[in-house]
Amino acid sequence: CEESNPTPVDNDLVSSLRSELERCLRSNREKRSEVSELRAKVKVLTSDLEKTKGQLSEFEKTCVDQKKRLTELGDLVGDESGIGAVEARLKRDLDRMGREKDALLEDIKDYQQRLEEIGASEARLTEINAELSQQMSDMVARGDRDKADALARCQRTMEETGRITKENLRRELEERHVAEMATVTGRGERQLAE
């Protein structure tokens, strides 16, 4: 067993580990892409939220200004019929602004909810990314252990094969030596007998 000739089991294991590692890397890239997209959405939503808050602040300021004008007009206009028309118009403006303020508050609430959802999604994707990284590390470590085990088995097999080969060679040489000694002894005895 040599390192340059891995067994089919080792090839299957390496191939399986490589496929799993590639799948994890692909999934990791997809999750990172999703995190980047979510971060971009958070940035846009945060910007929209700030704009909406600014608009709300402007509307509140306008409402205060309108109420102040209504009070000033009431002080300036002495008769009640003029005050009634101006007051009605200003009240309509105030009601309209109140509805716009409510709509803006609802938008802010929606933005905040969406930001929370995106934050939760981003946290989950970060967690999944960490899990995938850990799985890849575990797979690499497992592959390293399997390779070390295979090399150790190969070394033991080579040592055992070498030991058996030496024993067989020694036995064969001893048998050959005994046979040659018997042949030489037999010849010597025949020559002595002649």
Side-chain angles (χ1 to χ4, degrees):
C1 179
E2 296 179 0
E3 191 173 350
S4 60
N5 294 326
T7 65
V9 174
D10 290 340
N11 284 340
D12 290 344
L13 177 64
V14 169
S15 176
S16 171
L17 286 173
R18 182 175 289 132
S19 296
E20 186 63 22
L21 184 60
E22 288 172 356
R23 185 192 66 75
C24 286
L25 287 172
R26 204 171 29 256
S27 179
N28 196 0
R29 278 192 296 271
E30 290 171 3
K31 298 300 179 195
R32 284 186 183 184
S33 174
E34 288 179 32
V35 167
S36 295
E37 289 174 13
L38 286 173
R39 284 185 179 154
K41 285 182 182 178
V42 166
K43 190 175 179 181
V44 169
L45 286 174
T46 303
S47 173
D48 289 349
L49 181 60
E50 290 305 316
K51 283 184 203 171
T52 304
K53 283 182 179 177
Q55 289 174 345
L56 178 61
S57 177
E58 286 297 318
F59 278 122
E60 287 175 343
K61 185 178 174 186
T62 304
C63 284
V64 170
D65 290 345
Q66 291 290 348
K67 283 181 183 176
K68 190 175 178 182
R69 278 181 54 205
L70 178 62
T71 304
E72 289 171 356
L73 284 174
D75 292 343
L76 289 175
V77 178
D79 78 49
E80 292 190 21
S81 64
I83 292 175
V86 171
E87 188 176 343
R89 189 174 134 257
L90 290 175
K91 280 186 178 180
R92 282 194 305 275
D93 288 346
L94 285 173
D95 289 343
R96 178 183 52 79
M97 288 182 195
R99 286 190 301 273
E100 289 175 0
K101 176 184 173 183
D102 291 342
L104 287 172
L105 287 172
E106 192 63 34
D107 286 347
I108 288 173
K109 184 178 174 185
D110 289 344
Y111 285 139
Q112 287 173 334
Q113 183 178 0
R114 287 173 64 189
L115 283 172
E116 289 170 8
E117 290 170 0
I118 289 173
S121 295
E122 184 177 3
R124 179 63 186 136
L125 286 172
T126 301
E127 182 182 319
I128 289 171
N129 191 23
E131 289 172 6
L132 286 172
S133 295
Q134 183 60 45
Q135 286 176 4
M136 287 189 297
S137 296
D138 292 346
M139 285 172 52
V140 169
R142 191 170 50 243
D144 289 345
R145 281 194 308 271
D146 291 345
K147 183 177 179 181
D149 290 346
L151 286 173
R153 282 193 308 272
C154 183
Q155 182 67 32
R156 285 192 302 270
T157 302
M158 287 174 54
E159 289 171 0
E160 181 66 17
T161 302
R163 187 186 60 76
I164 291 171
T165 302
K166 283 181 191 176
E167 286 178 11
N168 288 342
L169 184 59
R170 185 181 47 77
R171 191 174 24 252
E172 185 181 319
L173 288 173
E174 285 176 357
E175 289 172 358
R176 203 181 292 169
H177 178 69
V178 169
E180 286 177 3
M181 289 299 286
T183 304
V184 169
T185 304
R187 269 192 223 147
E189 288 175 356
R190 278 193 303 272
Q191 287 177 354
L192 287 175
E194 293 176 2

